[in-house]
Amino acid sequence: MRMSKLFWKFFTVFWLALLLAGLSVGTVVWLHHKSIQEQANKTDPEIDVDAHAFVSVAAEIFSYGGKTALITFLEKAHHAPFPDVYAIDDKGNDVLGRSIDPKVVGYARALFLQGEFPLAIRYVSDKENNALLFFSPIKRGVSETLFIGPPHERREFGPAPMLNEPFPTPPFETRRIPPPPSETVPYPLVLLIGSGLIAAIFFSALLAWYFTKPIGLLRQSFSKLAEGQLNTRIGNKMGHRRDELVELGQNFDDMAGKISHLMSAQQRLLHDVSHELRSPLARMQAAIGIAEQQPEKTPEILNRIERESQRMSDLVGELLVLSRLETGVTDNVHVEISLNDLLDEIISDARFEASSKQITIHYTIAEDIFITVRSELIHRAIENILRNAIKFSPENAEITLRVTTDSIKQRLCIVIEDNGPGVAEADIESIFKPFFRGQLTHRNDSIGLGLAIAYRAVSAHHGEIKAANRQEGGLRVEVELPYKK
């Protein structure tokens, strides 16, 4: 698979971050190690640097125990196979009275002033502020010339100054000893740097691939979805990740599922609309043909054409209402209305329609109820349910409408029951879909949009509508709406 630009961006950033972090840590460790090695390998021709442990012991004994304890320690150490540690006062004399070349003493003081060998050359005071210089000279004769300075730049000096005197500027020429040969980078260090670079490249590529793989899958899935492959899903291709990219994949699957559902519903709707429009058009064409063949039936044919055109007009109107509800585009605004007045108006019209079939409508409401709704939508929803009950109820039947409230749940429930044939249990969930008529498809006066419009009108108010068959026969439809007193 071709690497994307995002992959190379991730790779470059991760690689540079790892490289800089590795170089920084490696440089600090290397410098520290080098400093330790230099201190460990540093020697002097006149001072025994390796005797720093004995020098430190003697200095601590003098600092806490005083001169008497120091003399006792040095006398015992002098007869033991240990390096000789000298304790020199400001006058240049050893506390044990041992002889020592003044040049060696001056040399040690000069090194101390320069900060050389801080562990091997100590200048310590006791509790009485008596100060001594501690060091261990190499057991051999010292040359007549003192060399002060770094190993590659020794400078000749005469008698060494006291610690409380300024260090003199040498009046002589400087002898330069050739610097040590330049150190080459050891082979293990080269191996370490090379392996670090390889590891940085590997892990940077791994991280970049880890982050860009799901993004690439998403891009491919979007392309397939755009090409019309509505069954495209990506959730099962994300592996066992648990991050935001997985959530993004799940959101894509949800989106693809909804798009597929909407497209299927749209195709079904177009099919149903075309079928519903084809039937009245076919009847109108047939009526026109009859009118041409039998002119004496023209008035009757015109009445037939008028009914069919009205049916088509009603169908188009219902479709427009349904479309606006599905898209959320409505002109109604929420207003506070009296539910009692709304139901009185709806039932008055319904009773006029039901009188032709001698159907009685019983209406019960407990109290005056005021609700804030889109009045036209709720009016249409309840009217459609009630007219549906009248349409499918037999003659001399009874229809009941009652209203209850629940102040605890803050819900209002409108129940409409009829004595019609009911609905097959398998079709209960489908009666709120557009153009669904179930076992009643033989009835040509039913469009199949009334309950679908009622369902979407109630849903637009965050309510709920459900249907169930009654044990004594007929259908029970409940509409629940939010309600606050």
Side-chain angles (χ1 to χ4, degrees):
M1 183 178 68
R2 183 176 62 88
M3 298 299 179
S4 63
K5 295 180 181 178
L6 189 61
F7 171 86
W8 291 114
K9 289 180 180 179
F10 275 122
F11 173 80
T12 303
V13 171
F14 289 143
W15 183 74
L16 288 178
L18 290 174
L19 183 62
L20 289 177
L23 288 177
S24 300
V25 174
T27 301
V28 171
V29 173
W30 179 71
L31 290 176
H32 180 67
H33 180 68
K34 183 177 180 181
S35 176
I36 293 175
Q37 282 188 334
E38 288 178 352
Q39 291 293 334
N41 298 332
K42 197 172 183 179
T43 59
D44 191 88
E46 306 299 340
I47 304 300
D48 188 357
V49 180
D50 295 331
H52 63 85
F54 299 97
V55 173
S56 296
V57 171
E60 295 300 325
I61 291 175
F62 173 68
S63 176
Y64 293 99
K67 189 173 182 179
T68 303
L70 174 63
I71 291 174
T72 302
F73 170 74
L74 292 178
E75 287 179 345
K76 292 181 178 180
H78 181 67
H79 298 90
F82 299 140
D84 287 332
V85 177
Y86 282 76
I88 309 299
D89 58 18
D90 291 340
K91 297 180 180 180
N93 299 319
D94 179 54
V95 296
L96 294 183
R98 293 170 291 183
S99 62
I100 185 171
D101 192 330
K103 292 183 179 181
V104 175
V105 175
Y107 180 57
R109 284 175 175 168
L111 291 177
F112 174 76
L113 291 174
Q114 293 179 350
E116 297 284 344
F117 310 115
L119 298 178
I121 304 175
R122 302 281 300 275
Y123 186 71
V124 182
S125 300
D126 63 1
K127 296 179 181 180
E128 298 178 357
N129 292 327
N130 297 318
L132 294 177
L133 179 68
F134 292 85
F135 66 93
S136 177
I138 292 179
K139 294 182 179 180
R140 61 177 177 77
V142 67
S143 63
E144 295 297 324
T145 304
L146 288 176
F147 297 99
I148 308 299
H152 62 281
E153 189 177 331
R154 298 296 188 183
R155 300 185 179 184
E156 297 182 4
F157 281 85
M162 302 298 290
L163 287 176
N164 55 0
E165 297 178 357
F167 197 77
T169 303
F172 329 103
E173 294 184 358
T174 300
R175 284 191 199 171
R176 294 186 178 272
I177 300 177
S182 58
E183 298 181 358
T184 58
V185 180
Y187 176 75
L189 183 59
V190 175
L191 182 62
L192 181 62
I193 294 175
S195 60
L197 288 174
I198 295 175
I201 293 174
F202 173 75
F203 284 108
S204 297
L206 183 63
L207 284 172
W209 174 83
Y210 180 77
F211 283 115
T212 55
K213 178 185 176 182
I215 298 176
L217 291 174
L218 279 171
R219 183 178 61 183
Q220 294 177 359
S221 300
F222 273 113
S223 299
K224 292 180 180 179
L225 191 65
E227 293 172 358
Q229 301 181 27
L230 301 181
N231 60 343
T232 302
R233 299 295 183 270
I234 194 176
N236 57 349
K237 299 179 182 179
M238 287 291 189
H240 301 287
R241 303 169 62 106
R242 295 182 179 273
D243 52 22
E244 288 77 5
L245 292 174
V246 174
E247 295 178 2
L248 186 61
Q250 294 172 352
N251 292 337
F252 173 84
D253 290 347
D254 294 339
M255 179 194 69
K258 291 179 180 178
I259 292 176
S260 176
H261 175 74
L262 291 175
M263 292 297 293
S264 300
Q266 185 184 37
Q267 291 175 357
R268 289 195 303 270
L269 181 62
L270 289 174
H271 176 270
D272 294 337
V273 169
S274 61
H275 176 75
E276 292 293 330
L277 290 175
R278 186 185 301 129
S279 297
L281 285 174
R283 288 192 290 268
M284 291 172 67
Q285 290 175 349
I288 293 172
I290 294 175
E292 291 176 348
Q293 296 176 3
Q294 304 176 13
E296 68 277 6
K297 294 184 177 181
T298 298
E300 181 183 351
I301 297 300
L302 290 176
N303 290 333
R304 179 72 179 182
I305 292 175
E306 183 180 3
R307 288 198 303 271
E308 295 298 339
S309 62
Q310 183 62 42
R311 176 180 173 82
M312 292 175 61
S313 178
D314 294 340
L315 175 61
V316 173
E318 296 290 321
L319 285 173
L320 287 175
V321 173
L322 181 63
S323 175
R324 295 175 68 180
L325 285 173
E326 287 184 339
T327 57
V329 179
T330 57
D331 297 333
N332 266 173
V333 294
H334 286 79
V335 294
E336 186 179 48
I337 63 171
S338 170
L339 183 63
N340 306 60
D341 295 342
L342 178 68
L343 293 178
D344 287 341
E345 180 182 353
I346 295 173
I347 291 174
S348 176
D349 294 338
R351 282 173 175 167
F352 178 78
E353 182 179 346
S355 61
S356 62
K357 298 174 66 174
Q358 305 299 318
I359 295 176
T360 304
I361 300 177
H362 300 283
Y363 166 45
T364 304
I365 189 167
E367 55 182 333
D368 290 337
I369 298 174
F370 291 89
I371 56 175
T372 302
V373 293
R374 297 174 182 174
S375 59
E376 183 62 30
L377 293 183
I378 294 300
H379 183 285
R380 185 179 289 270
I382 299 174
E383 183 181 47
N384 285 353
I385 297 172
L386 194 56
R387 292 185 65 189
N388 191 75
I390 295 172
K391 186 180 298 182
F392 297 107
S393 293
E395 294 185 356
N396 299 314
E398 294 183 352
I399 296 175
T400 303
L401 187 152
R402 62 178 182 272
V403 180
T404 59
T405 59
D406 190 334
S407 57
I408 298 177
K409 296 181 179 180
Q410 296 184 342
R411 305 291 281 182
L412 177 148
C413 183
I414 302 173
V415 180
I416 299 175
E417 297 176 332
D418 62 48
N419 300 118
V423 179
E425 291 296 332
D427 296 337
I428 286 291
E429 298 297 329
S430 301
I431 63 175
F432 298 108
K433 295 179 180 180
F435 297 106
F436 181 83
R437 286 173 290 187
Q439 298 177 356
L440 306 174
T441 53
H442 62 282
R443 296 182 62 105
N444 294 328
D445 57 344
S446 175
I447 299 177
L449 293 177
L451 292 182
I453 292 175
Y455 178 85
R456 283 156 179 79
V458 172
S459 299
H461 289 81
H462 306 289
E464 184 180 0
I465 183 171
K466 52 189 176 181
N469 287 313
R470 303 172 61 205
Q471 292 182 353
E472 57 271 25
L475 188 68
R476 171 192 174 97
V477 179
E478 295 183 6
V479 175
E480 287 191 1
L481 295 171
Y483 170 67
K484 292 183 180 180
K485 286 188 176 181

